[in-house]
Amino acid sequence: MLSRHLQDIHNKTGLFFLTDVVWNHVSICNREILSHPESYYNLYNTPNLIPAYLIDRSIHEFGNAQDNITDVQDLSSFEIKLRNHLLGTAQTLEKLYKIDLNKVLDVKKSTEASLCESQLNKKDINDLIKALWLVNYKEPEYAGDIDVGILRKFLEQRGVKSEPDQNSKISAAICHFNDVEVPTIVDQILNKVISAVMGTVKYRFLDEHGPKLSFGNVPIVDRYFHVSDITFTEELALDIYRKEDAQRIKTCNGWTAGESVSDMNSTMAYTNREVVIWGDSVKLRYGDRREDSPWLWDYMTKYTCDMASLFHGFRIDNCHNTPLHVGEELLRAARHVQPQLYIVAELFTGSEERDCEIINRMGINSCIRELSQSHSPRHLGELIYHYGESKPCGSFIHNIPHGDVVHQPGDENIPLGDQTCTEDNTPQLSLGSSRPHAMLMDQTHDNPCPFDQHPLPNVLALSGLMCAAKCSIGSNRGYDELVPHHIHVVEEERLYQGWSQSDDEDLKPAKKALIKLHQRLEDKGYYETFVDQAREDVVIVTRHHPDTCSKVLVVVATSWSEDSSLTRNYTVSLPGENVKVLLETEILSPQTLPKHTNNKDYITGLSGVKIDVRENPLSSKMVTVSKPDEGNLDIDLLLTPGCVIAVEVEPPQSSKTALQYFNSYILCPEKFDKDLDKVFSTLDLLDLNYVLYRCNEEERVDGCGGVYHIPHHGNLTYAGIVGFLQVLETVTKNNDTGHPLCRNLCEGWWMADYTVNRLKKKNLKLGFFLEEIFFAVEAVPNYTRPKVFYKIISSVYSACLRQIRKLIPTMKTSVGNSWFVEQLVLTSVQLVGKVGDTGIPVLLQDKESVASLAAGLPHFSHGFMRCWGRDTFIALPGLLIKTGRLDVARDLVVGFARTLRYGLIPNLLSERGHRPRYNCRDAVWWWCRSVKLLYKHQPSILQESVYRLFYKDDSPVSPQTPFVCTVFDVITEVLQRHAAGITFREENAGRELDEHLLDPGFNMTAGVDPETGFIRGGSRHNCGTWMDKVGSSSQAGNKGIPATPRDGSAIELVAMGYQTVSWMAELFESGIGTTSVVNMKTGSTHKTVSYREWSEMIKENFEDKFWCSGGYYGNANGYYRDTLGSESGGDEKLRPNQTFAMVIAPELFKPSHMSEALKTIGTNLAGLVGMSTLSPEDADYQPYYDTGNHGNDYRTAHGFNYHQGPEWVWCMGFYLRAKLRDFQHLKKDNPDCMSDDEIGQYFATVLAPHRAMIASDPYRGLTELTNKGGQHCPNSCPTQAWSSGCLLEFLVELEQSEFSGS
């Protein structure tokens, strides 16, 4: 019958119906639950409530014996008596909480116990015991317990090894805990209990605003526990440790603000008396799963489904105290019955994060929020801003009206952050976070009367602000009928009267008009909101139309202060043309609360209240409009207490014209994007480097003035448009129109001017094109400028991407369609550019400058620090060859070839390459590797002319009459010079060249071991490979000391030497070159060795010399030595350099050994995004790099541990390439060992943190290094060339493998 009745009303009126659902409690009178004691909380199934029950019983016993409380003095006496009475209970709790020392010590050492980091970092064992202590509640005494195994492990870590010594320390600590900590814990509980009881007693019996109950007629406080059908005396005789008695003690339900009491196994709210208890209800217990309380789950599921079949929505009672898994399951069942169920709830967690968790997991549609609890006009404005501002004015994201598709400006190509794509590579919008949707109410049910806190006029003001909000709204009948007292939801037995025909003496006519206004704002598309505390007592809510920029101002005059009870004037000045008054409503009389007589039969409201409502008035009593100048308005308002005025304002004509241009052209991809593509067709990749990137130092070197500075935010990372988009990405994701960038745009078009002028300075056509665009939109309303600027700049970025895809072949492959690979390819554009003071030497006499590859930004952006020989040629294969930028790769190869001296290329350049520094042994081999890889794509590279800067090792630069050879000749010279042996002292050696290096460190050697053919060199006084840190701390004693000399034969140099001589042998055998031999130094003589003989010599000796079967670190896991013959003693250190060799020259490795080594490396060195540079088992391992460390520790001072544990990202690329080859080998021997999908998933999992890093990094690259476990290292260069290049090499190789589709 009820179902038919509700359906009939719905069909006739269109009304929808909600009902409360109660899942947390039942009445104490319910007899069914007595047969199912598992379904409610009692002392048997929740024994941690025993302390709360003991306290509750003691308070009840005390209250029954007290005299009347009539004043504050009685209250003080009462508190003293209560504290004394509870001392007995405190002693009982102490016995309960103490730990049984004898029982603990009987437990032997636990071999399975392990310490987590938080436990290990405890100050001492006393702190650890406090953290580990728990209570089992199985016995009335010594129920405290602790994991003694963890205590023993803790002591072992601090050198206490023997069991007697451990027992002694544990005994002392537990005695301390029992004698000192337990009484403190109990005393804290007691203080909270007494404070809670005294607060309740004072409110009940003495407070002016309290109920002033008669002492003796009611308990002093409500009981937290209920026992049916027995007297209190009989209750005292119950044995709470006996199952049958413990089950009889039922826990009452209640309400808390903040802490949830849904997890009764851990909450202290009952023990501390923090629950507003409902003494007539029992708290239900669902358990962790349905099996814990099957009867209750079945009962509540049926009840919930029955309600869903009758009503359109639920209001969840006491929602935040409902166990989440219960709410999820019951709502899931309800939605099977009613899929469109509308769920609302009040949440009082005190935490938006906790609110969001409940909302998201339960699927709550709206959170109920209330305005009548506001305590000032400012607080009221904050509530409207917080809950009633769905989208701010100038929002980057439009609302979704009437089921239309959401429009996100710029969503055609989401600029920078991570994204997913459809099969046709169309980017999909990633939704950002937002506040939970609110159902805003002027007052909810069962709350104090609004007149207890607000003057009469504020009742109208609250309703006006509520209806101006962009959210669901609601009220209750008592509020609209101005009922001047609390309507108690349980105790009130009267009904409302029938709907009055003469209701002009209450709020209903005004509320009806306000609701119509609320609906109009929604129907007409005023989706954006701005809340302005115009002055102390005036709140203005502006509802803005995102397309037309028309707006409706809802002005509300609150009435809290004495001044606000008077009529006053207020002027709103703003741009605009036409003004239309939509609504005026005010309370005419009286301004103070009239007397009210309760009707014994019906609930009635105030009488004699006159409220005037004027909708769309032809002549306004409260609004006067004037035009001080063209395009601007002054709206003069006459404000009476509590009044609400709504006016509609159209923007000026100039704004309309600019908006029409923006909507019809900028937002039209067919027009704007087409014109952008024409402009970009004239730009090459070096132009795009300038358009997109360029850090502050790059700009300043070229006299461009630096990057844009945003007040209250700081400098952008780049001068190009990526600098703006990097900030805008976060701004748009969070729809943060209050960000300093947005404020800067609202104040002026300076960002547009900066962008245009910068591009015009380079005479780029794009600058002149954007100048016209920004001029056309200049007059848009200032608060829409951020959205307009974002759309234009993001469209320019999208056009950049389209042009780059045309110019870089890698972007067109299937792997290039991956967002992550595309971001890595973009680092090639980011890091390759023309910078005025670079050290790259002039390539040809008629070529003034070439593009240079920055080692990283911003640390290595200009001058001699920009182009490092080693870094350039480690990164070049990935960033230039794999991306098809062969012209730049050729220029760099030839450019560095010009600087060959001593058989080496320099690591650092200066003065345009005229004063290079030859302090590294490996750069020339990375160069040789790059030439070999470039040769596959551009065979002519070997015949490129090289205009040498140095005729001989000791000759000065001779740019006028250079010695000319070919790249092939340079490689030949490198091999011969190494075979003959290289010995020299660095030019200009001394403190001016290197202020830290000791004098022997300037003596350089390199050559070949004639017995093995291995490349070797260096000494313990210098660093010749990429691990090149030299100490600089006099205080710690490491100044001038190389941290990682890696002298002797470094494994990756041996591999690159092998690769080079093997390749040269192949070239000679194919008819290229006139010689295939070197004169190799053997002691005091030389012998002639062919390239082929040399390579075979290396191959024959490699496994025997470098394989290490384990033992160095006390384990049996095999790996390859890092060096051979090092006088500094680092040969057997476990480092990632062996993976470089595995990739460069895999034929040197025995497959089974390589597989075992990779397992060792994966276990010991593989980090989150990089590879640890040293095994954690090594005594020198220090994984936290800090150049600002001015301590005395030799190992870490001034960042001495640069390569002694920090995790370097570029090494991960080689490790993954080695793993790929290992997988291929394993699959060849055993096709079923792993599926292709499993291998693909392995690589996807490893690369997930790299995706996250490049998406969040302000410089949009992969960092140089991280600290342990991928932790951020502040001293790391944010975007490093070899980090991106090496990973890109791997990904392209993966694409070409059999696992590419996985």
Side-chain angles (χ1 to χ4, degrees), residues 900-905 918 921 924-925 948 953 970 973-978 982 984 1006:
L900 190 77
R901 194 180 193 186
Y902 314 113
L904 303 173
I905 67 167
Y918 296 85
R921 292 178 285 117
V924 71
W925 297 109
R948 299 280 289 276
D953 288 349
V970 172
E973 183 177 340
V974 168
L975 295 179
Q976 178 54 55
R977 291 298 301 268
H978 277 78
I982 299 169
F984 66 95

Side-chain angles (χ1 to χ4, degrees), residues 197 344 358 459 505 619 690 814 1064 1123 1186 1247 1282 1289:
V197 171
V344 299
I358 296 171
V459 175
E505 292 189 352
S619 176
Y690 187 82
S814 58
M1064 291 293 281
T1123 56
D1186 180 9
L1247 291 173
W1282 56 15
E1289 274 194 278

Side-chain angles (χ1 to χ4, degrees), residues 581 584 612 614-624:
V581 179
E584 298 173 344
D612 191 16
R614 299 180 292 278
E615 298 180 78
N616 302 308
L618 296 177
S619 176
S620 172
K621 293 170 54 178
M622 309 177 79
V623 179
T624 305

Side-chain angles (χ1 to χ4, degrees), residues 119-137:
Q119 294 168 348
L120 184 61
N121 291 334
K122 292 298 180 186
K123 183 175 64 176
D124 54 34
I125 193 171
N126 293 322
D127 279 352
L128 182 58
I129 287 177
K130 283 191 285 185
L132 295 175
W133 171 71
L134 52 85
V135 186
N136 285 329
Y137 300 102

Side-chain angles (χ1 to χ4, degrees), residues 1158-1295:
L1158 285 169
K1159 289 179 182 177
T1160 304
I1161 294 166
T1163 302
N1164 293 275
L1165 301 183
L1168 186 68
V1169 292
M1171 302 295 292
S1172 175
T1173 38
L1174 186 62
S1175 169
E1177 299 295 322
D1178 199 290
D1180 292 326
Y1181 175 73
Q1182 295 291 329
Y1184 297 96
Y1185 175 61
D1186 180 9
T1187 57
N1189 181 342
H1190 298 294
N1192 297 319
D1193 192 332
Y1194 174 89
R1195 300 170 301 171
T1196 58
H1198 290 198
F1200 192 61
N1201 59 317
Y1202 200 24
H1203 305 99
Q1204 299 279 54
E1207 297 167 6
W1208 286 70
V1209 179
W1210 77 276
C1211 303
M1212 181 63 78
F1214 278 96
Y1215 170 69
L1216 293 177
R1217 292 178 72 187
K1219 287 289 292 184
L1220 176 60
R1221 294 178 186 189
D1222 186 43
F1223 283 138
Q1224 290 170 327
H1225 173 75
L1226 293 173
K1227 289 275 288 183
K1228 183 178 179 181
D1229 289 348
N1230 181 8
D1232 297 326
C1233 65
M1234 288 181 76
S1235 70
D1236 290 355
D1237 285 343
E1238 288 174 321
I1239 293 172
Q1241 185 57 49
Y1242 165 80
F1243 288 125
T1245 302
V1246 172
L1247 291 173
H1250 300 82
R1251 289 176 60 96
M1253 174 179 283
I1254 206 168
S1256 61
D1257 177 55
Y1259 284 87
R1260 286 304 178 264
L1262 295 177
T1263 189
E1264 176 187 19
L1265 59 90
T1266 70
N1267 288 329
K1268 181 180 180 181
Q1271 296 178 56
H1272 173 67
C1273 176
N1275 298 126
S1276 173
C1277 183
T1279 177
Q1280 194 83 350
W1282 56 15
S1283 297
S1284 298
C1286 292
L1287 272 177
L1288 188 56
E1289 274 194 278
F1290 161 69
L1291 286 165
V1292 174
E1293 190 170 318
L1294 177 65
E1295 166 66 15

